Amino acid sequence: MRIKISQSHAAAIEKAISAVAGKKTRCIHQAEDVISAAERAERKLEDLGLQKSCRAGATAQANLAGPGKSYGYSLDGTSIALERLTSGWYLTDVTLQRIYPGGPERMEILIEASQIEAAVEAKLRKLRISARTPAPAELAA
């Protein structure tokens, strides 16, 4: 599955979620939740200082918060997998996952080592910090 995350594709997103969730309604993502998750993931990459041209390949996994702690037992909720391509975020997978009462909403983002290096370089440039190259005499010592 690969569905572009945008308001114009909300019906396709809802269809993919309902195919997995069936008649369940609690702790189940809606199209608005998926769009919001993609926007949050994009903001996190932006806050990291990663340029848009370097964001492709990032992935995110998001879960909704569990019911209140007074809810007596766990239940099945949806977990969504997102992937950032050059043209934006895409929904790549929807699965059922055990959700526990009082559990927080979670999002985990995974990026490549090269993206981490690019983000660090961008942060250092922004702070006007650069690496000093050792003089040849320092290398010989």
Side-chain angles (χ1 to χ4, degrees):
M1 158 188 352
R2 187 170 279 168
I3 303 168
K4 182 158 178 64
I5 299 174
S6 67
Q7 198 61 45
S8 60
H9 293 101
I13 293 170
E14 289 287 348
K15 185 177 177 182
I17 292 169
S18 66
V20 172
K23 294 182 180 184
K24 293 176 177 63
T25 58
R26 295 201 66 152
C27 299
I28 302 298
H29 284 86
Q30 303 299 316
E32 299 84 32
D33 300 323
V34 176
I35 293 168
S36 175
E39 290 169 352
R40 273 196 332 260
E42 188 71 11
R43 268 194 312 277
K44 285 186 178 197
L45 294 179
E46 187 175 316
D47 292 345
L48 186 61
L50 200 56
Q51 295 178 352
K52 282 191 176 186
S53 61
C54 297
R55 295 179 190 172
T59 59
Q61 188 81 22
N63 303 329
L64 293 174
K69 288 188 177 188
S70 61
Y71 197 77
Y73 50 91
S74 63
L75 57 123
D76 285 334
T78 53
S79 176
I80 56 171
L82 312 174
E83 182 179 10
R84 176 66 157 84
L85 300 178
T86 54
S87 59
W89 285 94
Y90 286 78
L91 177 65
T92 57
D93 196 19
V94 179
T95 57
L96 287 178
Q97 181 173 332
R98 211 73 186 142
I99 306 290
Y100 295 93
E105 183 174 355
R106 294 183 4 182
M107 176 181 283
E108 296 177 11
I109 297 179
L110 181 64
I111 59 176
E112 303 289 331
S114 61
Q115 292 170 315
I116 292 172
E117 290 171 8
V120 169
E121 288 174 14
K123 285 284 188 188
L124 291 175
R125 272 194 311 276
K126 185 176 180 181
L127 295 171
R128 296 181 184 263
I129 298 174
S130 57
R132 180 179 17 178
T133 21
E138 291 176 7
L139 289 174

